[in-house]
């Protein structure tokens, strides 16, 4: 007989920091309506319904709730982008969490689905959104079950649907689920997918679906964690929310720390003040590197973010500090590499991810990401040449012209290049394929040079433009990862 | 001859009814088809096209974009081993090597008894519990070689049937909106006024967004 223990809250580690969105995680029945109602559930909605939609919007605006999906745009401001007088308006919940290293939305959906539902209702009430579509990543079967169960309970109990709490506020929340495509996390691709199409990002402008979104109507797309903050804000007030963290990054945020640390985990941290050093070395958090090893590098904000080294450990979770130092906070995912990590191979696992997930709409991404993967694979397996390193940068420059952001390298006198970058693609998948390559080659050039040096005599082509044999066509595509072994 | 069972046909109608436009139901219906048969056949796509009022080619276009839809039969258990960063740092490559040896197929292959399809997958959002895998989208955390062997034995013996449904079934709990509680989906072109609670707040002098 099998004996598998499926943990209640896989990866979640509680600490002494204030808890806003994870306060129910300790209860084994955190996902039930009964537990939710016993712990302040739907009180934020009741408070909202006692005020005008305008007032509720104002409360959220003054809370400076930054979007937790990656871009960090203030939710209250985004809500205000709906053109006046255009109806109907929709809410689309982005639960398609797929950024490498990230998992917080999955836990929020599995462990506290009613909190998310309440957040959706508050947003719909405030902005006049008449239908809500809750889009959950296809691979998250348990999250889909928990949210479906919670919606069924909430409908029966009168929290969702017609005349909520006996008022004239009525809204349906429709559970929708995807089928496996990273790019659908981009909000216009999410809308395409919800319309039954291939999940390809839409041309911009308009930059915000609040202007033209689902079925061409004004549409608010918010991340799961963003919405999960709303019940607390309405219950305790914007002032209590901004008392936590810093004025520019108030509240808390969920961060998953994975890789070579003693205690990998998903932590709810105080926004703006917690540093990467706290997270990686703090006793309340990861407790330092595993096996007594040294820190070599870390990815601060999900697979798309340029990398940091120990020189950036004292930066806090504050976009205005991390950006000028050459990276971004993204979706709350820190991936830690120790001193035994094979850096080119680590970069390859990420670049391979983005090459695989390119939707094919923009040529620089479709072709470029594939080239990056093939050439980098050759460098990793020892058949690359010094010219290949130039090719990697040339291909990267076709996706992101100009200087690409990177961290400072004090020992080489290299100044940081601030975030963001220029791009020739509609969305961030293409640049994300280049980010790990650029970071790895900029921070650890010697590891790449050592890999290709033995083959220097093979570089015989003309010096400008890729030589024959550098293209993606000179070897069959391989989906096997067996050649990408990373030492631990 | 219809592809969908009577039960699934009525489920399909219920799902379609929730959207302002029928076509939005396309991905959910492809999942219903895959749950019924374990994969998505041409026959299923033709029928979905009729249900959502589009062409079979359009359905194929959408279907073929998404990784989870399999257009040919796969094993009863789809074993997806994560290969992305955090799992790679924790030995995902070694786990895949072991899995290929244990099952006797390469990544992408199906065992001759039709029980297992082994695949390399991208980030599954369980990065602190690396290396991880999913069997029919149900997680297994921090999997080592022994743990993998045990899992395969248990699956083959049917010991996990309660937890892990056959390939195609994702969520076993479905949303059901009770008729008396539903607001109902309206095509966007049929609406040109603000919802009542916004209109009411505006007429009370409070203004609206």
């Amino acid at each position: 007989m099998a004996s598998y223990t499926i943990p209640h809250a896989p990866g979640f580690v509680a600490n002494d920091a204030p808890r806003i969105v994870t306060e129910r995680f300790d209860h084994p029945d955190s996902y039930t309506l009964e537990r939710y109602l016993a712990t302040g559930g739907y009180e934020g909605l009741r408070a909202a319904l006692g005020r005008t939609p305008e007032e509720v919007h104002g409360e959220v605006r003054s809370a400076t709730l930054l979007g937790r999906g990656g871009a960090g745009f203030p939710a209250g401001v985004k809500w205000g982008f709906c053109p006046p007088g255009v109806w109907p308006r929709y809410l689309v919940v982005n639960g398609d969490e797929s950024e490498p290293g990230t998992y917080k939305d999955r836990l929020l959906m599995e462990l506290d689905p009613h909190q998310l539902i309440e957040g959706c209702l508050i947003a719909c009430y405030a902005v006049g959104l008449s239908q809500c579509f809750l889009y959950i990543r296809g691979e998250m079967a348990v999250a889909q079950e928990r949210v479906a169960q919670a919606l069924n309970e909430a409908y029966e109990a009168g929290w969702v649907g017609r005349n909520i709490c006996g008022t004239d506020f009525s809204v349906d929340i429709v559970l929708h689920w995807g089928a496996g495509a990273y790019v659908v996390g981009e909000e216009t691709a999410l809308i395409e997918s919800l319309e039954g199409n291939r999940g390809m990002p839409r041309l911009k402008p308009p930059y915000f679906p609040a202007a033209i979104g689902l079925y061409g109507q004004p549409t608010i797309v918010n991340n799961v964690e963003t919405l999960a903050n709303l019940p607390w804000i309405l219950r305790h007030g914007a002032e209590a929310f901004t008392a936590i963290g810093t004025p520019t990054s108030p509240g808390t945020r969920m961060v998953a720390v994975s890789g070579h640390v003693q205690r990998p985990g998903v932590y709810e941290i105080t926004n703006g003040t917690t540093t990467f050093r706290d997270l990686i070395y703090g006793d309340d958090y990861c407790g330092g590197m595993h096996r007594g090893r040294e820190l070599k590098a870390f990815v601060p904000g999900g697979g798309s973010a340029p990398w940091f080294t120990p020189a950036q450990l004292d930066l806090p979770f504050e976009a205005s500090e991390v950006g000028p130092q050459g990276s971004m906070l993204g979706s709350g995912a820190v991936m830690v590499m120790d001193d035994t990590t094979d850096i080119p191979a680590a970069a390859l696992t990420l670049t391979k991810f983005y090459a695989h997930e390119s939707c094919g709409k923009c040529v620089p991404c479709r072709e470029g990401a594939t080239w990056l993967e093939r050439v980098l694979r050759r460098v990793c397996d020892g058949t690359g040449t010094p010219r290949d390193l130039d090719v990697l940068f040339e291909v990267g420059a076709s996706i992101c012209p100009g200087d690409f952001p990177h961290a400072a390298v004090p020992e080489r006198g290299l100044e940081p290049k601030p975030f963001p970058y220029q791009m020739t693609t509609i969305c961030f998948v293409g640049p994300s394929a280049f980010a790990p390559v650029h970071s790895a080659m900029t921070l650890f050039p010697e590891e790449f040079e050592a890999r290709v040096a033995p083959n220097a005599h093979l570089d015989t082509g003309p010096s400008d433009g890729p030589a024959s044999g550098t293209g993606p066509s000179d070897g069959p595509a391989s989906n096997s990862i067996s050649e990408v072994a990373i030492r631990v | 001859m219809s592809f969908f069972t009577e039960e699934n046909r009525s489920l399909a109608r219920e799902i379609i009814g929730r959207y302002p436009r029928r076509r939005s139901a396309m991905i959910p219906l492809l999942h219903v088809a895959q749950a019924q048969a374990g994969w998505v056949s041409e026959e299923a796509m033709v029928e979905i096209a009729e249900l959502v009022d589009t062409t079979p080619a359009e359905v194929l276009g959408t279907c073929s974009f998404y990784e989870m839809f399999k257009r040919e039969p796969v094993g009863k258990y789809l074993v997806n081993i994560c290969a992305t960063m955090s799992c790679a740092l924790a030995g995902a490559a070694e786990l895949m090597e072991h899995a290929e040896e244990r099952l006797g197929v390469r990544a992408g292959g199906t065992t001759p008894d039709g029980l297992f399809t082994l695949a390399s997958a991208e980030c599954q959002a369980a990065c602190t519990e690396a290396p991880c895998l999913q069997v029919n989208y149900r997680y297994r955390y921090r999997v080592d070689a022994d743990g993998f062997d045990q899992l395969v034995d248990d699956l083959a013996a049917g010991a996990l049937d309660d937890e892990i449904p056959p390939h195609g079934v994702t969520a076993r709990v479905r949303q059901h909106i009770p008729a008396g509680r539903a607001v109902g989906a309206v095509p966007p072109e049929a609406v040109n006024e603000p919802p009542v609670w916004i209109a009411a707040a505006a007429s009370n002098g409070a203004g609206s967004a």
Side-chain angles (χ1 to χ4, degrees), chain B residues 130-196:
Chain B
C132 73
L133 60 80
Q134 288 187 324
V135 181
N136 296 347
Y137 308 104
R138 308 279 158 168
Y139 288 97
R140 284 297 179 274
Y141 301 120
R142 304 194 189 212
V143 183
D144 58 14
D146 290 344
F148 185 84
D149 291 346
Q150 179 73 45
L151 175 64
V152 168
D153 291 342
D154 289 341
L155 286 167
L160 296 173
D161 286 357
D162 287 346
E163 190 212 334
I164 302 179
H167 179 260
V169 177
T170 51
R172 290 166 303 183
V173 181
R174 288 194 179 276
Q175 178 177 19
H176 174 67
I177 302 180
R181 298 278 319 132
V183 182
V186 186
E189 50 275 9
V191 180
N192 51 22
E193 285 178 347
V196 276

Side-chain angles (χ1 to χ4, degrees), chain A residues 242-272:
Chain A
T242 53
I244 302 168
T246 59
T248 44
S249 298
T252 64
R253 69 178 292 168
M254 290 179 75
V255 179
V257 194
S258 58
H260 297 151
V261 289
Q262 293 225 41
R263 192 171 50 181
V266 182
Y267 301 89
E268 182 168 5
I269 66 166
T270 302
N271 218 356

Side-chain angles (χ1 to χ4, degrees), chain A residues 311-332:
Chain A
Q312 287 82 34
L313 268 177
D314 292 310
L315 288 172
F317 267 77
E318 169 66 62
S320 64
E321 297 209 38
V322 167
Q325 293 304 316
S327 191
M328 62 166 186
L329 293 170
S331 48

Side-chain angles (χ1 to χ4, degrees), chain A residues 118-210:
Chain A
E118 188 181 353
C120 296
L121 295 169
I122 292 168
C124 288
Y125 178 74
V127 195
L129 313 170
S130 52
Q131 200 173 1
C132 168
F133 300 92
L134 209 166
Y135 191 120
I136 302 180
R137 182 174 169 187
E139 289 94 333
M140 295 178 176
V142 174
Q144 291 160 28
E145 288 178 355
R146 292 271 172 84
V147 173
Q149 182 65 40
L151 279 170
N152 291 347
E153 287 174 337
Y155 263 103
E156 287 294 345
W159 296 105
V160 187
R162 197 179 290 175
N163 299 113
I164 294 165
C165 297
T167 68
D168 58 5
F169 175 49
S170 300
V171 69
D172 275 333
I173 299 180
V174 174
L175 171 61
H176 187 93
W177 63 116
Y182 165 78
V183 68
V184 166
E186 198 274 349
E187 58 185 5
T188 61
L190 189 75
I191 288 170
E192 283 292 316
S193 182
L194 187 50
E195 291 185 0
N197 301 327
R198 294 167 78 85
M200 293 173 159
R202 291 178 177 173
L203 276 170
K204 296 162 183 74
Y207 293 99
F208 287 97

Side-chain angles (χ1 to χ4, degrees), chain A residues 85-135:
Chain A
V86 184
W87 309 97
R89 300 169 174 177
Y90 299 110
L91 175 64
V92 175
V93 183
N94 190 342
D96 193 53
E97 177 174 66
S98 331
E99 178 71 18
T102 311
Y103 80 102
K104 56 190 183 70
D105 297 340
R106 174 164 81 85
L107 295 186
L108 289 168
M109 292 187 285
E110 286 181 6
L111 298 173
D112 204 345
H114 284 286
Q115 177 174 252
L116 172 61
I117 291 168
E118 188 181 353
C120 296
L121 295 169
I122 292 168
C124 288
Y125 178 74
V127 195
L129 313 170
S130 52
Q131 200 173 1
C132 168
F133 300 92
L134 209 166
Y135 191 120

